[in-house]
mmCIF file of all heavy atoms in Angstrom:
data_model
loop_
_atom_site.group_PDB
_atom_site.id
_atom_site.type_symbol
_atom_site.label_atom_id
_atom_site.label_comp_id
_atom_site.label_asym_id
_atom_site.label_seq_id
_atom_site.Cartn_x
_atom_site.Cartn_y
_atom_site.Cartn_z
ATOM 1 N N LEU M 23 0.824 -1.214 0.000
ATOM 2 C CA LEU M 23 0.000 0.000 0.000
ATOM 3 C C LEU M 23 0.853 1.256 0.000
ATOM 4 O O LEU M 23 0.446 2.290 -0.553
ATOM 5 C CB LEU M 23 -0.945 -0.016 1.197
ATOM 6 C CG LEU M 23 -2.029 -1.086 1.155
ATOM 7 C CD1 LEU M 23 -2.810 -1.102 2.468
ATOM 8 C CD2 LEU M 23 -2.984 -0.862 -0.023
ATOM 9 N N PHE M 24 2.022 1.180 0.611
ATOM 10 C CA PHE M 24 2.922 2.332 0.620
ATOM 11 C C PHE M 24 3.268 2.756 -0.802
ATOM 12 O O PHE M 24 3.041 3.897 -1.204
ATOM 13 C CB PHE M 24 4.196 1.967 1.388
ATOM 14 C CG PHE M 24 5.206 3.080 1.478
ATOM 15 C CD1 PHE M 24 4.994 4.161 2.314
ATOM 16 C CD2 PHE M 24 6.371 3.043 0.727
ATOM 17 C CE1 PHE M 24 5.922 5.195 2.415
ATOM 18 C CE2 PHE M 24 7.309 4.057 0.815
ATOM 19 C CZ PHE M 24 7.085 5.139 1.660
ATOM 20 N N TYR M 25 3.785 1.825 -1.589
ATOM 21 C CA TYR M 25 4.195 2.156 -2.958
ATOM 22 C C TYR M 25 3.004 2.235 -3.914
ATOM 23 O O TYR M 25 3.046 3.007 -4.892
ATOM 24 C CB TYR M 25 5.210 1.130 -3.462
ATOM 25 C CG TYR M 25 6.576 1.293 -2.836
ATOM 26 C CD1 TYR M 25 7.158 0.275 -2.091
ATOM 27 C CD2 TYR M 25 7.298 2.472 -2.987
ATOM 28 C CE1 TYR M 25 8.416 0.417 -1.517
ATOM 29 C CE2 TYR M 25 8.552 2.636 -2.423
ATOM 30 C CZ TYR M 25 9.110 1.599 -1.687
ATOM 31 O OH TYR M 25 10.361 1.754 -1.123
ATOM 32 N N ALA M 26 1.956 1.470 -3.658
ATOM 33 C CA ALA M 26 0.784 1.533 -4.541
ATOM 34 C C ALA M 26 0.162 2.925 -4.523
ATOM 35 O O ALA M 26 -0.246 3.445 -5.565
ATOM 36 C CB ALA M 26 -0.243 0.482 -4.141
ATOM 37 N N ASP M 27 0.097 3.538 -3.351
ATOM 38 C CA ASP M 27 -0.473 4.887 -3.263
ATOM 39 C C ASP M 27 0.394 5.897 -3.992
ATOM 40 O O ASP M 27 -0.115 6.877 -4.533
ATOM 41 C CB ASP M 27 -0.652 5.276 -1.796
ATOM 42 C CG ASP M 27 -1.432 6.573 -1.626
ATOM 43 O OD1 ASP M 27 -2.485 6.717 -2.288
ATOM 44 O OD2 ASP M 27 -0.998 7.439 -0.854
ATOM 45 N N TRP M 28 1.694 5.697 -4.014
ATOM 46 C CA TRP M 28 2.584 6.560 -4.807
ATOM 47 C C TRP M 28 2.323 6.361 -6.298
ATOM 48 O O TRP M 28 2.429 7.295 -7.098
ATOM 49 C CB TRP M 28 4.035 6.201 -4.527
ATOM 50 C CG TRP M 28 4.598 6.673 -3.229
ATOM 51 C CD1 TRP M 28 3.922 7.172 -2.149
ATOM 52 C CD2 TRP M 28 5.980 6.671 -2.861
ATOM 53 N NE1 TRP M 28 4.788 7.477 -1.136
ATOM 54 C CE2 TRP M 28 6.059 7.181 -1.537
ATOM 55 C CE3 TRP M 28 7.147 6.287 -3.503
ATOM 56 C CZ2 TRP M 28 7.278 7.317 -0.858
ATOM 57 C CZ3 TRP M 28 8.347 6.414 -2.836
ATOM 58 C CH2 TRP M 28 8.414 6.929 -1.532
ATOM 59 N N THR M 29 2.016 5.134 -6.675
ATOM 60 C CA THR M 29 1.889 4.762 -8.086
ATOM 61 C C THR M 29 0.516 5.095 -8.647
ATOM 62 O O THR M 29 0.391 5.611 -9.758
ATOM 63 C CB THR M 29 2.156 3.247 -8.234
ATOM 64 O OG1 THR M 29 3.469 2.966 -7.751
ATOM 65 C CG2 THR M 29 2.018 2.796 -9.679
ATOM 66 N N HIS M 30 -0.517 4.788 -7.867
ATOM 67 C CA HIS M 30 -1.909 5.022 -8.271
ATOM 68 C C HIS M 30 -2.654 5.412 -7.006
ATOM 69 O O HIS M 30 -3.071 4.547 -6.229
ATOM 70 C CB HIS M 30 -2.503 3.760 -8.905
ATOM 71 C CG HIS M 30 -3.880 3.947 -9.434
ATOM 72 N ND1 HIS M 30 -4.149 4.517 -10.666
ATOM 73 C CD2 HIS M 30 -5.091 3.656 -8.889
ATOM 74 C CE1 HIS M 30 -5.457 4.562 -10.855
ATOM 75 N NE2 HIS M 30 -6.053 4.053 -9.791
ATOM 76 N N ALA M 31 -2.772 6.704 -6.781
ATOM 77 C CA ALA M 31 -3.246 7.230 -5.502
ATOM 78 C C ALA M 31 -4.564 6.594 -5.067
ATOM 79 O O ALA M 31 -5.485 6.413 -5.870
ATOM 80 C CB ALA M 31 -3.399 8.741 -5.581
ATOM 81 N N ILE M 32 -4.639 6.255 -3.786
ATOM 82 C CA ILE M 32 -5.861 5.691 -3.216
ATOM 83 C C ILE M 32 -6.904 6.795 -3.119
ATOM 84 O O ILE M 32 -6.682 7.824 -2.477
ATOM 85 C CB ILE M 32 -5.587 5.085 -1.830
ATOM 86 C CG1 ILE M 32 -4.512 3.995 -1.929
ATOM 87 C CG2 ILE M 32 -6.869 4.516 -1.230
ATOM 88 C CD1 ILE M 32 -3.968 3.542 -0.590
ATOM 89 N N ASP M 33 -8.032 6.593 -3.770
ATOM 90 C CA ASP M 33 -9.092 7.596 -3.783
ATOM 91 C C ASP M 33 -9.605 7.835 -2.363
ATOM 92 O O ASP M 33 -9.778 6.881 -1.594
ATOM 93 C CB ASP M 33 -10.248 7.096 -4.672
ATOM 94 C CG ASP M 33 -11.249 8.186 -4.998
ATOM 95 O OD1 ASP M 33 -11.938 8.653 -4.066
ATOM 96 O OD2 ASP M 33 -11.352 8.549 -6.184
ATOM 97 N N PRO M 34 -9.865 9.092 -1.985
ATOM 98 C CA PRO M 34 -10.384 9.377 -0.641
ATOM 99 C C PRO M 34 -11.654 8.614 -0.285
ATOM 100 O O PRO M 34 -11.949 8.429 0.899
ATOM 101 C CB PRO M 34 -10.637 10.886 -0.684
ATOM 102 C CG PRO M 34 -9.673 11.406 -1.694
ATOM 103 C CD PRO M 34 -9.581 10.328 -2.742
ATOM 104 N N LYS M 35 -12.395 8.154 -1.296
ATOM 105 C CA LYS M 35 -13.614 7.394 -0.988
ATOM 106 C C LYS M 35 -13.302 6.064 -0.318
ATOM 107 O O LYS M 35 -14.161 5.477 0.329
ATOM 108 C CB LYS M 35 -14.442 7.172 -2.256
ATOM 109 C CG LYS M 35 -13.822 6.237 -3.274
ATOM 110 C CD LYS M 35 -14.654 6.152 -4.547
ATOM 111 C CE LYS M 35 -14.022 5.267 -5.594
ATOM 112 N NZ LYS M 35 -14.806 5.233 -6.852
ATOM 113 N N PHE M 36 -12.055 5.603 -0.453
ATOM 114 C CA PHE M 36 -11.640 4.361 0.198
ATOM 115 C C PHE M 36 -11.019 4.708 1.553
ATOM 116 O O PHE M 36 -9.838 4.466 1.819
ATOM 117 C CB PHE M 36 -10.656 3.587 -0.682
ATOM 118 C CG PHE M 36 -11.208 3.213 -2.034
ATOM 119 C CD1 PHE M 36 -10.508 3.492 -3.199
ATOM 120 C CD2 PHE M 36 -12.445 2.576 -2.144
ATOM 121 C CE1 PHE M 36 -11.006 3.157 -4.443
ATOM 122 C CE2 PHE M 36 -12.963 2.228 -3.389
ATOM 123 C CZ PHE M 36 -12.246 2.525 -4.535
ATOM 124 N N ALA M 37 -11.843 5.265 2.410
ATOM 125 C CA ALA M 37 -11.349 5.798 3.683
ATOM 126 C C ALA M 37 -10.781 4.706 4.591
ATOM 127 O O ALA M 37 -9.840 4.957 5.355
ATOM 128 C CB ALA M 37 -12.477 6.534 4.404
ATOM 129 N N ASN M 38 -11.333 3.509 4.523
ATOM 130 C CA ASN M 38 -10.826 2.429 5.373
ATOM 131 C C ASN M 38 -9.432 1.994 4.953
ATOM 132 O O ASN M 38 -8.596 1.643 5.800
ATOM 133 C CB ASN M 38 -11.775 1.230 5.332
ATOM 134 C CG ASN M 38 -13.141 1.558 5.892
ATOM 135 O OD1 ASN M 38 -13.265 2.256 6.883
ATOM 136 N ND2 ASN M 38 -14.189 1.067 5.231
ATOM 137 N N VAL M 39 -9.169 2.004 3.662
ATOM 138 C CA VAL M 39 -7.835 1.656 3.170
ATOM 139 C C VAL M 39 -6.831 2.736 3.576
ATOM 140 O O VAL M 39 -5.713 2.429 4.021
ATOM 141 C CB VAL M 39 -7.843 1.474 1.639
ATOM 142 C CG1 VAL M 39 -6.434 1.162 1.129
ATOM 143 C CG2 VAL M 39 -8.808 0.366 1.235
ATOM 144 N N ILE M 40 -7.218 3.994 3.432
ATOM 145 C CA ILE M 40 -6.328 5.090 3.809
ATOM 146 C C ILE M 40 -6.004 5.031 5.300
ATOM 147 O O ILE M 40 -4.844 5.202 5.707
ATOM 148 C CB ILE M 40 -6.965 6.436 3.429
ATOM 149 C CG1 ILE M 40 -7.006 6.564 1.896
ATOM 150 C CG2 ILE M 40 -6.198 7.604 4.046
ATOM 151 C CD1 ILE M 40 -7.794 7.762 1.400
ATOM 152 N N ALA M 41 -7.015 4.766 6.126
ATOM 153 C CA ALA M 41 -6.788 4.678 7.572
ATOM 154 C C ALA M 41 -5.877 3.501 7.904
ATOM 155 O O ALA M 41 -5.011 3.609 8.794
ATOM 156 C CB ALA M 41 -8.114 4.557 8.302
ATOM 157 N N TYR M 42 -6.062 2.391 7.211
ATOM 158 C CA TYR M 42 -5.219 1.213 7.444
ATOM 159 C C TYR M 42 -3.772 1.518 7.045
ATOM 160 O O TYR M 42 -2.828 1.172 7.776
ATOM 161 C CB TYR M 42 -5.770 0.028 6.660
ATOM 162 C CG TYR M 42 -4.919 -1.216 6.687
ATOM 163 C CD1 TYR M 42 -4.418 -1.717 7.884
ATOM 164 C CD2 TYR M 42 -4.615 -1.902 5.511
ATOM 165 C CE1 TYR M 42 -3.637 -2.866 7.907
ATOM 166 C CE2 TYR M 42 -3.845 -3.046 5.525
ATOM 167 C CZ TYR M 42 -3.349 -3.516 6.720
ATOM 168 O OH TYR M 42 -2.578 -4.651 6.745
ATOM 169 N N ARG M 43 -3.587 2.165 5.909
ATOM 170 C CA ARG M 43 -2.235 2.534 5.480
ATOM 171 C C ARG M 43 -1.561 3.420 6.528
ATOM 172 O O ARG M 43 -0.362 3.278 6.807
ATOM 173 C CB ARG M 43 -2.301 3.242 4.120
ATOM 174 C CG ARG M 43 -0.938 3.573 3.505
ATOM 175 C CD ARG M 43 -1.136 4.192 2.127
ATOM 176 N NE ARG M 43 0.126 4.477 1.462
ATOM 177 C CZ ARG M 43 0.825 5.596 1.606
ATOM 178 N NH1 ARG M 43 0.371 6.556 2.434
ATOM 179 N NH2 ARG M 43 1.965 5.784 0.947
ATOM 180 N N ARG M 44 -2.310 4.336 7.123
ATOM 181 C CA ARG M 44 -1.747 5.194 8.171
ATOM 182 C C ARG M 44 -1.338 4.377 9.392
ATOM 183 O O ARG M 44 -0.305 4.644 10.007
ATOM 184 C CB ARG M 44 -2.766 6.268 8.559
ATOM 185 C CG ARG M 44 -2.940 7.357 7.506
ATOM 186 C CD ARG M 44 -4.051 8.311 7.898
ATOM 187 N NE ARG M 44 -4.235 9.347 6.891
ATOM 188 C CZ ARG M 44 -5.357 10.021 6.718
ATOM 189 N NH1 ARG M 44 -6.408 9.786 7.517
ATOM 190 N NH2 ARG M 44 -5.445 10.945 5.779
ATOM 191 N N ARG M 45 -2.143 3.382 9.757
ATOM 192 C CA ARG M 45 -1.779 2.528 10.884
ATOM 193 C C ARG M 45 -0.486 1.768 10.597
ATOM 194 O O ARG M 45 0.363 1.599 11.479
ATOM 195 C CB ARG M 45 -2.910 1.536 11.213
ATOM 196 C CG ARG M 45 -4.131 2.182 11.838
ATOM 197 C CD ARG M 45 -5.069 1.159 12.463
ATOM 198 N NE ARG M 45 -5.693 0.273 11.507
ATOM 199 C CZ ARG M 45 -6.774 0.545 10.805
ATOM 200 N NH1 ARG M 45 -7.351 1.741 10.898
ATOM 201 N NH2 ARG M 45 -7.301 -0.342 9.969
ATOM 202 N N LEU M 46 -0.350 1.307 9.377
ATOM 203 C CA LEU M 46 0.874 0.600 8.998
ATOM 204 C C LEU M 46 2.085 1.523 9.082
ATOM 205 O O LEU M 46 3.150 1.128 9.578
ATOM 206 C CB LEU M 46 0.731 0.032 7.581
ATOM 207 C CG LEU M 46 -0.264 -1.120 7.424
ATOM 208 C CD1 LEU M 46 -0.579 -1.357 5.955
ATOM 209 C CD2 LEU M 46 0.272 -2.399 8.068
ATOM 210 N N LEU M 47 1.934 2.747 8.600
ATOM 211 C CA LEU M 47 3.045 3.700 8.652
ATOM 212 C C LEU M 47 3.437 4.051 10.084
ATOM 213 O O LEU M 47 4.593 4.379 10.351
ATOM 214 C CB LEU M 47 2.678 4.977 7.886
ATOM 215 C CG LEU M 47 2.754 4.880 6.365
ATOM 216 C CD1 LEU M 47 2.009 6.038 5.712
ATOM 217 C CD2 LEU M 47 4.213 4.866 5.907
ATOM 218 N N ALA M 48 2.483 3.963 10.992
ATOM 219 C CA ALA M 48 2.762 4.267 12.400
ATOM 220 C C ALA M 48 3.373 3.081 13.140
ATOM 221 O O ALA M 48 3.886 3.259 14.257
ATOM 222 C CB ALA M 48 1.481 4.711 13.100
ATOM 223 N N ARG M 49 3.328 1.897 12.567
ATOM 224 C CA ARG M 49 3.905 0.723 13.204
ATOM 225 C C ARG M 49 5.432 0.880 13.238
ATOM 226 O O ARG M 49 6.063 1.088 12.188
ATOM 227 C CB ARG M 49 3.509 -0.531 12.425
ATOM 228 C CG ARG M 49 3.905 -1.854 13.077
ATOM 229 C CD ARG M 49 2.876 -2.305 14.051
ATOM 230 N NE ARG M 49 3.242 -3.608 14.640
ATOM 231 C CZ ARG M 49 2.449 -4.280 15.469
ATOM 232 N NH1 ARG M 49 1.253 -3.796 15.792
ATOM 233 N NH2 ARG M 49 2.833 -5.430 15.984
ATOM 234 N N PRO M 50 6.078 0.801 14.384
ATOM 235 C CA PRO M 50 7.519 1.081 14.461
ATOM 236 C C PRO M 50 8.374 0.251 13.507
ATOM 237 O O PRO M 50 9.349 0.770 12.937
ATOM 238 C CB PRO M 50 7.850 0.778 15.925
ATOM 239 C CG PRO M 50 6.583 1.088 16.657
ATOM 240 C CD PRO M 50 5.485 0.630 15.735
ATOM 241 N N SER M 51 8.027 -1.005 13.305
ATOM 242 C CA SER M 51 8.828 -1.848 12.410
ATOM 243 C C SER M 51 8.800 -1.332 10.981
ATOM 244 O O SER M 51 9.839 -1.320 10.291
ATOM 245 C CB SER M 51 8.329 -3.296 12.458
ATOM 246 O OG SER M 51 6.956 -3.373 12.108
ATOM 247 N N PHE M 52 7.618 -0.900 10.520
ATOM 248 C CA PHE M 52 7.547 -0.388 9.146
ATOM 249 C C PHE M 52 8.060 1.052 9.068
ATOM 250 O O PHE M 52 8.694 1.424 8.076
ATOM 251 C CB PHE M 52 6.123 -0.474 8.603
ATOM 252 C CG PHE M 52 6.028 -0.067 7.151
ATOM 253 C CD1 PHE M 52 6.884 -0.606 6.216
ATOM 254 C CD2 PHE M 52 5.086 0.864 6.731
ATOM 255 C CE1 PHE M 52 6.823 -0.223 4.881
ATOM 256 C CE2 PHE M 52 5.010 1.247 5.398
ATOM 257 C CZ PHE M 52 5.881 0.700 4.464
ATOM 258 N N ALA M 53 7.816 1.845 10.087
ATOM 259 C CA ALA M 53 8.362 3.211 10.102
ATOM 260 C C ALA M 53 9.877 3.168 9.961
ATOM 261 O O ALA M 53 10.475 4.022 9.276
ATOM 262 C CB ALA M 53 7.961 3.919 11.389
ATOM 263 N N ARG M 54 10.507 2.190 10.575
ATOM 264 C CA ARG M 54 11.960 2.036 10.442
ATOM 265 C C ARG M 54 12.340 1.736 8.996
ATOM 266 O O ARG M 54 13.306 2.299 8.472
ATOM 267 C CB ARG M 54 12.445 0.919 11.375
ATOM 268 C CG ARG M 54 13.939 0.670 11.314
ATOM 269 C CD ARG M 54 14.352 -0.364 12.351
ATOM 270 N NE ARG M 54 15.756 -0.718 12.196
ATOM 271 C CZ ARG M 54 16.390 -1.622 12.945
ATOM 272 N NH1 ARG M 54 15.734 -2.230 13.932
ATOM 273 N NH2 ARG M 54 17.659 -1.904 12.741
ATOM 274 N N CYS M 55 11.591 0.855 8.342
ATOM 275 C CA CYS M 55 11.864 0.558 6.925
ATOM 276 C C CYS M 55 11.749 1.804 6.066
ATOM 277 O O CYS M 55 12.583 2.056 5.188
ATOM 278 C CB CYS M 55 10.886 -0.503 6.422
ATOM 279 S SG CYS M 55 11.092 -2.143 7.122
ATOM 280 N N VAL M 56 10.696 2.579 6.287
ATOM 281 C CA VAL M 56 10.476 3.802 5.511
ATOM 282 C C VAL M 56 11.629 4.773 5.717
ATOM 283 O O VAL M 56 12.143 5.371 4.758
ATOM 284 C CB VAL M 56 9.130 4.447 5.897
ATOM 285 C CG1 VAL M 56 8.974 5.813 5.245
ATOM 286 C CG2 VAL M 56 7.971 3.533 5.490
ATOM 287 N N ASP M 57 12.067 4.928 6.944
ATOM 288 C CA ASP M 57 13.173 5.855 7.222
ATOM 289 C C ASP M 57 14.471 5.381 6.581
ATOM 290 O O ASP M 57 15.235 6.187 6.034
ATOM 291 C CB ASP M 57 13.357 6.018 8.727
ATOM 292 C CG ASP M 57 12.298 6.903 9.352
ATOM 293 O OD1 ASP M 57 11.645 7.667 8.603
ATOM 294 O OD2 ASP M 57 12.102 6.829 10.575
ATOM 295 N N GLU M 58 14.724 4.079 6.633
ATOM 296 C CA GLU M 58 15.954 3.550 6.032
ATOM 297 C C GLU M 58 15.956 3.685 4.518
ATOM 298 O O GLU M 58 17.023 3.745 3.890
ATOM 299 C CB GLU M 58 16.119 2.081 6.427
ATOM 300 C CG GLU M 58 16.447 1.880 7.897
ATOM 301 C CD GLU M 58 16.448 0.429 8.319
ATOM 302 O OE1 GLU M 58 15.930 -0.429 7.564
ATOM 303 O OE2 GLU M 58 16.968 0.140 9.417
ATOM 304 N N ALA M 59 14.766 3.765 3.923
ATOM 305 C CA ALA M 59 14.660 3.868 2.464
ATOM 306 C C ALA M 59 14.690 5.305 1.957
ATOM 307 O O ALA M 59 14.806 5.525 0.739
ATOM 308 C CB ALA M 59 13.371 3.194 1.997
ATOM 309 N N ARG M 60 14.589 6.285 2.847
ATOM 310 C CA ARG M 60 14.500 7.685 2.397
ATOM 311 C C ARG M 60 15.646 8.120 1.476
ATOM 312 O O ARG M 60 15.411 8.834 0.501
ATOM 313 C CB ARG M 60 14.405 8.622 3.605
ATOM 314 C CG ARG M 60 13.078 8.553 4.317
ATOM 315 C CD ARG M 60 12.940 9.581 5.425
ATOM 316 N NE ARG M 60 11.774 9.287 6.244
ATOM 317 C CZ ARG M 60 10.528 9.569 5.900
ATOM 318 N NH1 ARG M 60 10.312 10.212 4.760
ATOM 319 N NH2 ARG M 60 9.519 9.255 6.691
ATOM 320 N N PRO M 61 16.880 7.725 1.731
ATOM 321 C CA PRO M 61 17.964 8.176 0.849
ATOM 322 C C PRO M 61 17.850 7.696 -0.596
ATOM 323 O O PRO M 61 18.557 8.209 -1.471
ATOM 324 C CB PRO M 61 19.221 7.604 1.518
ATOM 325 C CG PRO M 61 18.841 7.365 2.937
ATOM 326 C CD PRO M 61 17.399 6.974 2.888
ATOM 327 N N TYR M 62 16.966 6.735 -0.841
ATOM 328 C CA TYR M 62 16.883 6.129 -2.168
ATOM 329 C C TYR M 62 15.626 6.534 -2.934
ATOM 330 O O TYR M 62 15.317 5.953 -3.977
ATOM 331 C CB TYR M 62 16.937 4.599 -2.034
ATOM 332 C CG TYR M 62 18.145 4.128 -1.279
ATOM 333 C CD1 TYR M 62 18.068 3.844 0.086
ATOM 334 C CD2 TYR M 62 19.377 4.005 -1.906
ATOM 335 C CE1 TYR M 62 19.189 3.433 0.798
ATOM 336 C CE2 TYR M 62 20.507 3.587 -1.204
ATOM 337 C CZ TYR M 62 20.405 3.308 0.148
ATOM 338 O OH TYR M 62 21.513 2.913 0.846
ATOM 339 N N ARG M 63 14.910 7.539 -2.463
ATOM 340 C CA ARG M 63 13.634 7.889 -3.092
ATOM 341 C C ARG M 63 13.792 8.380 -4.534
ATOM 342 O O ARG M 63 12.856 8.306 -5.322
ATOM 343 C CB ARG M 63 12.887 8.917 -2.243
ATOM 344 C CG ARG M 63 12.363 8.312 -0.958
ATOM 345 C CD ARG M 63 11.365 9.192 -0.254
ATOM 346 N NE ARG M 63 10.775 8.486 0.884
ATOM 347 C CZ ARG M 63 9.698 8.870 1.520
ATOM 348 N NH1 ARG M 63 9.059 9.973 1.153
ATOM 349 N NH2 ARG M 63 9.225 8.171 2.534
ATOM 350 N N SER M 64 14.959 8.839 -4.875
ATOM 351 C CA SER M 64 15.189 9.261 -6.267
ATOM 352 C C SER M 64 15.130 8.077 -7.224
ATOM 353 O O SER M 64 15.006 8.260 -8.443
ATOM 354 C CB SER M 64 16.546 9.956 -6.399
ATOM 355 O OG SER M 64 17.599 9.055 -6.062
ATOM 356 N N TYR M 65 15.206 6.858 -6.708
ATOM 357 C CA TYR M 65 15.117 5.677 -7.555
ATOM 358 C C TYR M 65 13.714 5.475 -8.112
ATOM 359 O O TYR M 65 13.549 4.769 -9.116
ATOM 360 C CB TYR M 65 15.483 4.411 -6.763
ATOM 361 C CG TYR M 65 16.923 4.232 -6.383
ATOM 362 C CD1 TYR M 65 17.859 5.255 -6.519
ATOM 363 C CD2 TYR M 65 17.361 3.025 -5.854
ATOM 364 C CE1 TYR M 65 19.178 5.079 -6.157
ATOM 365 C CE2 TYR M 65 18.687 2.832 -5.481
ATOM 366 C CZ TYR M 65 19.593 3.863 -5.636
ATOM 367 O OH TYR M 65 20.890 3.671 -5.271
#
């Protein structure tokens, strides 16, 4: 869902999916992955 939303944005009408994606981003294990990947976003 992280990369899918970048690729094909999740429509606001899918509020449950958006809320779930936010919960995933707040999970410390995945937040760590996101932070470790920041230097490579130009890829």
Side-chain angles (χ1 to χ4, degrees):
L23 293 174
F24 180 74
Y25 286 120
D27 189 47
W28 284 13
T29 301
H30 184 81
I32 302 168
D33 193 293
K35 69 184 178 182
F36 301 129
N38 297 320
V39 178
I40 291 172
Y42 174 48
R43 185 177 183 273
R44 287 175 181 156
R45 289 194 294 277
L46 291 166
L47 283 164
R49 187 86 178 185
S51 58
F52 185 50
R54 180 175 174 182
C55 292
V56 172
D57 284 341
E58 290 173 345
R60 288 186 192 282
Y62 305 96
R63 289 193 173 195
S64 62
Y65 289 11

